[in-house]
Amino acid sequence: MLGLEGIRVKKVSHTDTSIKLYVTTAKKAVPCPSCGNHTSRVHDYRNQSFKDLPISGKHTLIILRKRRYICTCGKRFYESYDFLPKYQRKTNRVSAMICDQMAKSIPITTIANDLGLSPTTVSRTFDFVSYPKITRMPKVLSIDEFKGNAGNNKYQCILVDAQKKRILDILPDRRLEHLQAYFRSIPLFERQKVKYFVCDMWKQYAQIARDFLPNAKIITDKYHFIRQVTWAIENVRKRAQKNMTPSVRKYFKRSRSLILKRNHKLSMDDKERLENMLLYHDDLRTAYLLKEKFYSICKMDKYSLQRKAYNDWIKYAESVCISEFKHCIKAFRNWHKEILHAFKYGYTNGPTEGFNNKIKVLKRVSYGFQNFNRFRNRILHTCNH
């Protein structure tokens, strides 16, 4: 029933929350670790207690009557067991259960309470799980940062294989010098395998790709350049509201979703409400047309038409002279090539953002991590399990 080979149960003791099993094993001849001769002579006994998996929802404690043998060479030694490692107070399958549970986004205290262990024991056991640094680079490499507050650094960096949708590594820092040291340690022939590098609109990431990934085409994540247009039209709406009466201003604020939502997704009533809103302000009406046109460009299937429409859109946005779009146009000019790559090749940071959400959940249920290596191993164990 226990599934522990060679165990004989002599006595069982029950409480409301735990079960104690007093067990022994059959006497047999064992090899001496010193001279190699077999001996069955027992020198003395001692009781060893260790944890096992819960039985019927109760914590299980096994008390084993352990023999210490003596050899003709004078060596004294304890018998060994397949299910119980040396110097451990829990069975192998408890350690395996800890690793299995750590792959879920649940707190360490929950795992410890379920198995009747301390949180420190669970953490110490999981520390034996280690994920090495990546040795092979993917075809599509995606990079992003997240707020981890681990290892005295506010932000950590995540590397993802955007094609196979798996985390490659977690870096303790996102600063340029740290990223340079990391990629410099990877052999050149591996870095040459990267054909596409997906990142947000942070200059350091693009600089890393230019310096260390010679064959990679840099792709700006679609979400990060589309939101430039969203921010611009939101700022136009906020400017337009300043000269409105309080009741109209409140209506505009509550109905902002009508301006941000795609026109073809609006109902007839919502379209009428939107038309009335756009009549209040000329710049807001122009900004809405710019937003709709840009969203339509992002949905085009043919790249040659998409590229021409995108360049025409930038020229038109410059010609209308809406101040809130100046920053957006500047960003599009600075990242022109990388945005066109996003249209052409279609890779995004979507898988990376999905992993970032999982990391946020893991961080929240764990009440944060101080030890970066433990945080890194937990992320890789949870997200790639």
Side-chain angles (χ1 to χ4, degrees):
M1 183 182 69
L2 288 175
L4 301 178
E5 186 177 354
I7 284 290
R8 294 179 180 178
V9 180
K10 295 296 184 181
K11 180 182 175 183
V12 180
S13 175
H14 285 271
T15 67
D16 292 339
T17 59
S18 64
I19 297 175
K20 286 185 178 181
L21 301 174
Y22 297 84
V23 302
T24 186
T25 56
K27 182 182 176 182
K28 58 183 179 180
V30 294
C32 173
S34 179
C35 65
N37 293 326
H38 282 70
T39 181
S40 58
R41 182 184 170 192
V42 178
H43 180 264
D44 57 15
Y45 294 87
R46 79 176 182 91
N47 289 334
Q48 180 177 352
S49 302
F50 55 90
K51 294 279 188 177
D52 195 26
L53 294 178
I55 297 176
S56 300
K58 294 183 178 182
H59 299 153
T60 303
L61 182 66
I62 298 177
I63 296 92
L64 172 64
R65 194 164 188 257
K66 198 172 184 179
R67 297 178 184 86
R68 185 164 67 150
Y69 291 94
I70 184 170
C71 182
T72 54
C73 69
K75 175 70 176 178
R76 297 176 179 87
F77 59 94
Y78 285 102
E79 56 186 330
S80 60
Y81 309 95
D82 294 335
F83 56 84
L84 185 64
K86 195 175 183 180
Y87 307 122
Q88 293 294 314
R89 294 192 176 275
K90 57 185 180 303
T91 58
N92 286 328
R93 58 191 184 186
V94 172
S95 299
M97 178 61 74
I98 289 173
C99 293
D100 184 64
Q101 293 296 99
M102 289 290 276
K104 304 174 183 177
S105 297
I106 56 178
I108 290 178
T109 51
T110 301
I111 300 172
N113 292 335
D114 290 344
L115 297 177
L117 303 170
S118 68
T120 304
T121 300
V122 174
S123 298
R124 191 167 56 244
T125 302
F126 184 69
D127 285 342
F128 286 99
V129 177
S130 179
Y131 288 88
K133 177 184 172 182
I134 58 173
T135 56
R136 294 185 177 182
M137 297 295 283
K139 177 183 176 182
V140 185
L141 179 62
S142 176
I143 190 171
D144 200 7
E145 73 278 349
F146 61 91
K147 191 176 180 181
N149 292 312
N152 298 321
N153 292 312
K154 185 175 182 180
Y155 290 98
Q156 279 69 56
C157 198
I158 179 172
L159 300 179
V160 174
D161 184 340
Q163 197 172 35
K164 296 183 179 179
K165 296 179 175 57
R166 61 186 302 272
I167 298 179
L168 298 174
D169 207 349
I170 304 294
L171 310 186
D173 198 356
R174 67 167 184 172
R175 286 177 294 182
L176 182 61
E177 58 269 23
H178 180 84
L179 294 175
Q180 288 174 336
Y182 181 86
F183 280 94
R184 192 179 291 114
S185 66
I186 300 173
L188 177 60
F189 71 90
E190 283 294 332
R191 290 187 269 119
Q192 288 175 335
K193 294 179 181 179
V194 180
K195 303 301 180 184
Y196 306 100
F197 182 81
V198 188
C199 62
D200 56 25
M201 302 173 81
W202 202 45
K203 292 182 179 179
Q204 284 83 342
Y205 289 154
Q207 188 63 44
I208 287 294
R210 295 187 186 101
D211 293 343
F212 296 97
L213 306 174
N215 297 331
K217 290 180 171 61
I218 303 173
I219 298 175
T220 299
D221 179 48
K222 205 170 185 179
Y223 165 77
H224 288 87
F225 65 79
I226 288 178
R227 71 177 181 176
Q228 297 287 334
V229 178
T230 305
W231 288 343
I233 192 173
E234 272 286 86
N235 290 331
V236 174
R237 177 186 62 82
K238 291 174 183 178
R239 173 165 62 87
Q241 289 176 188
K242 291 181 180 179
N243 298 322
M244 296 178 183
T245 61
S247 59
V248 177
R249 186 187 304 120
K250 186 181 293 185
Y251 178 81
F252 265 69
K253 187 175 181 180
R254 291 179 176 177
S255 302
R256 60 188 290 270
S257 61
L258 297 179
I259 297 175
L260 299 179
K261 198 172 182 180
R262 293 299 308 275
N263 189 270
H264 68 271
K265 294 183 178 180
L266 296 175
S267 65
M268 293 303 297
D269 291 341
D270 287 342
K271 287 182 180 180
E272 290 181 7
R273 292 168 58 197
L274 175 64
E275 286 295 329
N276 292 330
M277 291 173 66
L278 297 180
L279 290 174
Y280 272 86
H281 203 276
D282 291 338
D283 283 354
L284 182 61
R285 183 166 59 254
T286 304
Y288 181 80
L289 294 176
L290 282 170
K291 185 266 294 185
E292 283 295 304
K293 179 63 177 175
F294 187 79
Y295 284 2
S296 298
I297 293 171
C298 295
K299 292 294 183 180
M300 287 183 176
D301 295 327
K302 195 171 182 180
Y303 172 67
S304 58
L305 298 177
Q306 196 174 38
R307 179 181 59 189
K308 183 180 183 306
Y310 171 68
N311 291 327
D312 292 343
W313 185 91
I314 293 177
K315 294 176 181 178
Y316 178 67
E318 288 175 330
S319 67
V320 296
C321 297
I322 297 177
S323 59
E324 288 79 6
F325 275 84
K326 288 182 178 179
H327 180 78
C328 171
I329 295 167
K330 182 180 178 181
F332 285 0
R333 290 291 189 190
N334 292 338
W335 294 86
H336 186 265
K337 185 178 179 180
E338 291 79 8
I339 292 173
L340 289 179
H341 284 166
F343 289 143
K344 186 175 183 179
Y345 301 109
Y347 292 111
T348 70
N349 252 353
T352 309
E353 296 297 342
F355 286 126
N356 281 345
N357 287 333
K358 289 185 178 180
I359 292 171
K360 288 179 183 178
V361 173
L362 182 61
K363 181 185 169 186
R364 183 169 64 249
V365 301
S366 303
Y367 295 95
F369 288 84
Q370 294 296 321
N371 187 309
F372 169 74
N373 289 328
R374 188 174 291 169
F375 189 27
R376 173 184 177 273
N377 286 340
R378 185 76 192 274
I379 292 170
L380 294 172
H381 192 67
T382 302
C383 296
N384 290 343
H385 189 72

